[in-house]
Amino acid sequence: MRASSRRHAAKTRRWRLLLAGAVSGASACTLSGPGLGQGPPTPDLPTAAVTRLNMTGRALKITAPLLLRDVTLGEVEMTVAPDDTISLPPERLLDLLAMVVEPKTMSTLRAALSALPSVGPGDLAGSDISIVYDAQALALQLVLPDTLRAARDVQLGSMTPETFGTFDPPASTSAYVNARLSWDHVARGEDTGFADPVLFMDGAARIGGVVLETEGV
């Protein structure tokens, strides 16, 4: 009976070791993945649902800025339909586009869009120009290739421009002095009483064409 009990206990220990090894192996397979082992890659998480712009069931009118990168071209009143379709007034949109779009392309856009009651982003298809609504910034982003941007005049000037206006000529002899006094009193602490006063002074003097400036404490 004792020998049978020992054999039964030894088999039980072996089963426990086998079960422990199986659990360890299962854990290793669960953790394995890219960067962790040879197991299968972790499946991608589902992407978040697209945020709706208009959930009221009726058309909304919103005033939003039209941006070209970080530059605000102006504000435009856009209409957001219940299906999130965006439409813009053509006259206002063309006026803002004329600020940055080169003349030949603007002529084509005016001919195509001026007669429309409203302009949607799809109406700009084929012109290499697009407008995207940025829900986080609450703004319309204009995507404009550099080849379609209007040329701009850059005015260059001297680093020492001429002085405009009339001024009184300086006196042949003049001077000034400013003085600021600071005097502290310590009520509590190791060194109580009045601290040494601190005097700040600065001034200047003109004698003929020579000007002297000074400051000190």
Side-chain angles (χ1 to χ4, degrees):
M1 292 294 293
R2 291 180 180 177
S4 176
S5 298
R6 290 175 181 174
R7 286 193 299 271
H8 178 71
K11 290 180 180 180
T12 302
R13 285 194 296 271
R14 284 197 297 271
W15 278 108
R16 289 176 179 173
L17 291 174
L18 290 174
L19 288 174
V23 171
S24 300
S27 301
C29 291
T30 302
L31 293 175
S32 62
L36 293 177
Q38 299 296 329
T42 304
D44 295 332
L45 295 176
T47 57
V50 178
T51 303
R52 291 289 310 277
L53 300 179
N54 185 4
M55 296 183 292
T56 63
R58 56 185 178 85
L60 293 178
K61 291 186 178 296
I62 303 174
T63 301
L66 179 63
L67 307 179
L68 178 59
R69 298 177 183 174
D70 295 333
V71 178
T72 301
L73 303 179
E75 292 186 342
V76 60
E77 186 181 71
M78 67 178 187
T79 302
V80 184
D83 61 351
D84 288 350
T85 302
I86 295 176
S87 58
L88 306 171
E91 183 177 356
R92 176 58 175 167
L93 178 61
L94 290 172
D95 289 342
L96 296 179
L97 291 179
M99 300 170 57
V100 291
V101 178
E102 59 94 17
K104 184 178 180 179
T105 303
M106 275 306 308
S107 298
T108 304
L109 291 176
R110 289 188 186 278
L113 305 179
S114 296
L116 297 179
S118 62
V119 177
D123 295 325
L124 298 174
S127 64
D128 293 333
I129 301 174
S130 60
I131 297 178
V132 181
Y133 180 69
D134 187 347
Q136 294 183 349
L138 300 178
L140 293 166
Q141 287 285 348
L142 174 64
V143 181
L144 179 65
D146 292 338
T147 54
L148 299 182
R149 297 191 65 170
R152 300 182 61 184
D153 295 333
V154 179
Q155 184 176 2
L156 303 178
S158 173
M159 295 298 292
T160 56
E162 297 181 2
T163 303
F164 298 94
T166 58
F167 302 90
D168 293 334
S172 59
T173 303
S174 61
Y176 75 88
V177 61
N178 295 324
R180 296 180 296 276
L181 176 64
S182 174
W183 197 3
D184 298 332
H185 178 269
V186 181
R188 295 181 182 180
E190 297 181 358
D191 299 329
T192 58
F194 287 97
D196 295 335
V198 179
L199 181 63
F200 300 89
M201 297 187 65
D202 64 270
R206 170 188 288 273
I207 303 175
V210 179
V211 178
L212 302 176
E213 296 182 0
T214 182
E215 63 180 7
V217 180

